[in-house]
């Protein structure tokens, strides 16, 4: 493998060597669950421990992961804590729906998320990324640092608003974007009461501000849907070709109910922009500390753009850009934990004939965070080495050791959309600018709804020669 002599090791908690006390677990879970995991979670194929009285299996073994997410997926429900946090916000949206509702909704929405539709959005992604890039011209002139974490959230939000609603939101976009932020900030946190498995009716004080934001937000979404519905009746051929139109066309007994459409719009806003934004910010940060690979990316971007290739083709035509993004998804998976609970008792046997039992109602944690940094599966697991994801090395990465988008029937429905968006956004930004992290800046990853840098990432922007 063509690897630089000293690849960059970006900041991340080191595995704990001493198990935390019960009180410390509560504190760390609230502050930053990424700091909780001990050395066994990063080095053993699986572990079973008691966690707040509940048996918890941490699954790192690719065979065990395949068993839970694919082979016996029908026996696994979403884990109760995750549902407690997310269901009040997203209700029967695809991410939180279960059973028959999930099955019908996933089937109905599959045609909306085909690669053909994602490709149809490439032009919008390009246009919005280009307009967004102009905002950095001033910073490039003055040398004033920019917070790239905030910038990437704005960019992916604007791409989502355009592909989802074509910008036709029943309120000023600014107010809407602020509400999205407030909602994600307050609602997506694990409250200590969740950990203690207190009943859902005990109010979680940490989430009260989010509740107000949520009802204002739902009202805007339903007004937006009503306005579009009226337009579809008055002028069926003149409506924009965006997610909103595609979803509203699914209304009906075989498809989705009105409420489910609203829930899914909220779900796409929640699941579909912060995730990509975080990974984009981590990519720009890691690339800025990997000058050798940055040059390869710049050469690739300059060449593909000079050839005048359509942005629809960039995902294929820019393997270095894609590899940098995929490596950032490995080190900082936006969804750091995929949690399940067996519906009935289950068993799985490893290659040495050892059988483990996964009893009904216990927790199974499949954590991209530990899996992607696992010493059994990765060479130099803590280092940024995008070369691993270049086409000539890609087949060395097993299907179940790299799970930024999950796997099995509940795999991320927006994965192609996100990859295409990321490559287009990175190409546009890196064509015009070079991003350099400020000296001494060490962004610290924390797990909220996504894996995000604690205080953002301050970077200096400079213009590249045209
Ligand atoms: C880099 C960006 C993204 C990452 C890392 C990501 C990650 C994930 C993961 C890990 C899951 C599986 C969760 C589980 O099995 O419990 C998931 C599900 C989902 N994602 Fe994404 N996602 C991203 C972007 C998007 C986008 C752009 C959209 C929509 C526009 C989206 C919509 C969804 C939905 C609706 C589900 C639920 C699917 C189901 O349960 O059937 N995601 N995502």
């Amino acid at each position: 493998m063509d690897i630089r002599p000293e690849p960059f090791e970006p900041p991340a908690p080191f595995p704990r060597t001493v198990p935390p006390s019960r009180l410390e677990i509560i504190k760390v879970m609230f502050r930053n669950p990424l700091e909780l995991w001990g050395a066994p979670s990063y080095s053993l194929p699986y572990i079973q421990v008691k966690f707040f009285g509940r048996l918890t299996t941490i699954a790192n073994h690719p065979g065990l992961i395949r068993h839970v997410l694919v082979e016996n997926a029908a026996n696994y429900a979403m884990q109760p804590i995750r549902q407690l946090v997310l269901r009040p916000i997203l209700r029967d949206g695809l991410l939180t729906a279960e059973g028959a509702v999930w099955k019908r909704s996933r089937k109905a929405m599959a045609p909306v998320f085909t690669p053909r539709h994602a490709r149809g959005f490439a032009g919008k992604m390009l246009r919005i990324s280009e307009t967004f890039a102009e905002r950095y011209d001033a910073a490039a002139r003055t040398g004033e640092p920019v917070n790239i974490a905030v910038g990437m959230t704005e960019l992916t939000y604007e791409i989502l608003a355009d592909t989802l609603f074509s910008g036709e939101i029943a309120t000023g976009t600014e107010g809407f974007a602020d509400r999205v932020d407030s909602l994600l900030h307050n609602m997506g946190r694990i409250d200590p009461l969740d950990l203690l498995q207190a009943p859902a009716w005990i109010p979680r004080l940490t989430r009260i501000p989010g509740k107000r934001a949520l009802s204002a937000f739902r009202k805007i979404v339903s007004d937006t849907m009503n306005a579009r519905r009226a337009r579809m009746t008055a002028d069926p051929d003149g409506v924009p070709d965006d997610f909103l139109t595609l979803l509203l066309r699914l209304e009906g007994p075989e498809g989705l109910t009105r409420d489910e459409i609203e829930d899914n719009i909220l779900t796409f806003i929640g699941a579909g922009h912060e995730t990509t934004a975080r990974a984009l910010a981590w990519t720009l940060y890691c690339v800025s500390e990997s000058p050798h690979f940055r040059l390869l990316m710049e050469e690739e971007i300059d060449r593909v753009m000079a050839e005048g290739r359509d942005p629809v083709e960039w995902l294929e035509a820019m393997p270095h850009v894609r590899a940098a993004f995929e490596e950032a998804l490995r080190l900082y998976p936006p969804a750091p934990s995929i949690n399940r609970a067996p519906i009935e008792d289950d068993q799985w046997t490893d290659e040495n004939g050892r059988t483990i039992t996964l009893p009904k109602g216990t927790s199974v944690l499949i954590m991209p965070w530990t899996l992607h940094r696992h010493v059994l599966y990765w060479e130099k697991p803590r280092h940024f080495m995008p070369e691993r994801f270049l086409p000539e090395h890609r087949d060395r990465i097993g299907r179940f050791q790299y799970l930024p988008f999950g796997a099995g029937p509940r795999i991320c429905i927006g994965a192609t959309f996100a990859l295409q968006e990321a490559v287009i956004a990175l190409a546009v930004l890196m064509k015009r600018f070079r991003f350099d992290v400020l000296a001494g800046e060490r962004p610290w990853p924390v797990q909220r709804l996504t894996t995000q840098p604690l205080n953002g990432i301050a970077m200096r922007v400079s213009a590249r020669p045209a």
Side-chain angles (χ1 to χ4, degrees):
M1 220 192 268
D2 164 34
I3 293 169
R4 293 191 318 132
E6 281 181 61
F8 172 53
E9 182 181 341
F14 278 98
R16 273 174 191 269
T17 47
V18 179
S21 68
R22 208 176 149 88
L23 180 65
E24 206 181 348
I25 294 179
I26 296 186
K27 280 204 227 148
V28 176
M29 283 300 277
F30 191 63
R31 191 182 68 222
N32 182 15
L34 301 181
E35 293 174 24
L36 194 64
W37 310 111
S41 307
Y42 295 92
S43 57
L44 295 178
Y46 47 87
I47 322 169
Q48 293 196 300
V49 283
K50 275 261 164 101
F51 198 64
F52 289 91
R54 179 186 292 237
L55 180 72
T56 300
T57 305
I58 297 177
N60 286 317
H61 190 296
L64 176 54
I65 294 174
R66 185 181 337 118
H67 177 82
V68 172
L69 292 184
V70 184
E71 289 160 359
N72 204 15
N75 187 45
Y76 286 84
M78 292 296 174
Q79 198 217 31
I81 288 187
R82 171 201 197 256
Q83 296 297 81
L84 213 58
V85 174
L86 292 181
R87 247 193 98 85
I89 319 178
L90 306 175
R91 298 185 191 161
D92 273 331
L94 204 55
L95 203 61
T96 38
E98 299 217 57
V101 174
W102 171 78
K103 215 173 189 168
R104 174 174 42 75
S105 310
R106 178 95 193 193
K107 194 167 163 220
M109 274 185 280
V112 173
F113 283 93
T114 53
R116 185 175 66 84
H117 273 132
R119 284 198 292 274
F121 290 135
K124 283 185 177 214
M125 291 168 174
L126 177 71
R127 191 169 38 74
I128 290 176
S129 301
E130 283 176 342
T131 311
F132 173 85
E134 288 166 16
R135 278 182 225 168
Y136 286 154
D137 283 339
R141 269 195 312 275
T142 60
E144 192 67 26
V146 296
N147 184 341
I148 206 77
V150 172
M152 292 306 99
T153 306
E154 287 168 4
L155 170 58
T156 57
Y157 173 71
E158 282 161 29
I159 291 177
L160 192 78
D162 206 56
T163 49
L164 200 55
F165 308 119
S166 304
E168 293 177 1
I169 299 168
T171 178
T173 313
E174 255 168 47
F176 191 74
D178 287 349
R179 283 195 170 94
V180 174
D181 261 8
S182 150
L183 193 67
L184 294 179
H185 181 74
N186 291 303
M187 301 288 289
R189 287 184 89 144
I190 294 176
D191 189 284
L193 288 173
D194 298 331
L195 272 185
L196 298 168
Q197 295 168 47
W201 52 264
I202 300 183
R204 271 51 172 179
L205 296 177
T206 51
R207 291 200 206 116
I208 284 178
K211 283 210 165 135
R212 263 177 249 125
L214 180 61
S215 55
F217 191 75
R218 278 207 172 255
K219 167 94 173 65
I220 298 170
V221 171
S222 82
D223 289 352
T224 305
M225 286 168 59
N226 290 337
R228 177 63 63 85
R229 233 184 240 114
R231 223 177 127 181
M232 285 166 77
T233 315
D235 178 18
D237 298 329
V239 286
D241 196 12
D242 54 17
F243 275 121
L244 182 58
T245 301
L246 292 169
L247 284 175
L248 288 172
R249 287 199 182 121
L250 298 179
E251 197 172 323
E254 297 285 298
L256 302 173
T257 65
R258 271 183 183 221
D259 285 349
E260 285 164 2
I261 295 176
E262 187 180 306
D263 296 343
N264 277 302
I265 290 173
L266 253 86
T267 297
F268 297 152
I269 293 168
H273 90 106
E274 203 189 273
T275 40
T276 315
R278 298 303 174 210
L280 279 173
W282 288 115
T283 308
L284 287 173
Y285 165 66
C286 290
V287 164
S288 80
E289 296 279 21
S290 311
H292 151 90
F293 201 81
R294 175 164 69 186
L295 268 180
L296 296 176
M297 291 169 76
E298 288 173 351
E299 279 164 21
E300 181 175 270
I301 294 166
D302 292 351
R303 180 176 46 74
V304 172
M305 287 195 179
E307 288 166 2
R309 302 273 288 268
D310 191 301
V312 167
E313 296 169 26
W314 290 4
L315 190 55
E316 289 277 307
M318 297 188 186
H320 288 80
V321 179
R322 179 179 176 151
F325 185 71
E326 293 196 288
E327 176 70 339
L329 285 176
R330 180 183 73 83
L331 283 169
Y332 299 106
S337 188
I338 297 171
N339 306 340
R340 296 288 192 270
I343 297 168
E344 296 299 339
D345 290 354
D346 193 15
Q347 287 195 330
W348 174 79
T349 304
D350 70 14
E351 61 279 17
N352 302 317
R354 214 181 117 204
T355 297
I356 57 166
T357 302
L358 302 146
K360 170 181 174 173
T362 58
S363 282
V364 181
L365 304 188
I366 295 163
M367 291 193 290
W369 177 263
T370 53
L371 179 69
H372 292 179
R373 293 168 173 270
H374 202 283
V375 296
L376 289 180
Y377 311 123
W378 301 94
E379 184 192 333
K380 291 193 184 262
R382 295 176 58 92
H383 290 76
F384 182 74
M385 298 184 349
E387 293 87 349
R388 329 171 190 260
F389 286 95
L390 289 176
E392 57 272 34
H393 305 303
R394 190 71 168 75
D395 60 0
R396 290 189 207 157
I397 300 171
R399 173 65 192 95
F400 292 92
Q401 76 179 70
Y402 179 65
L403 295 174
F405 297 107
R410 302 209 63 149
I411 193 170
C412 177
I413 203 168
T416 310
F417 180 96
L419 285 172
Q420 174 180 287
E421 171 185 13
V423 167
I424 292 176
L426 286 169
V428 167
L429 290 170
M430 291 181 64
K431 171 77 190 151
R432 282 174 79 138
F433 305 110
R434 213 170 234 195
F435 294 85
D436 284 295
V437 67
L438 299 193
E441 175 94 355
R442 299 274 295 165
W444 188 248
V446 291
Q447 177 177 352
R448 297 280 179 264
L449 206 55
T450 53
T451 306
Q452 60 193 67
L454 181 58
N455 296 313
I457 308 178
M459 297 190 93
R460 228 178 276 295
V461 186
S462 48
R464 285 186 63 218

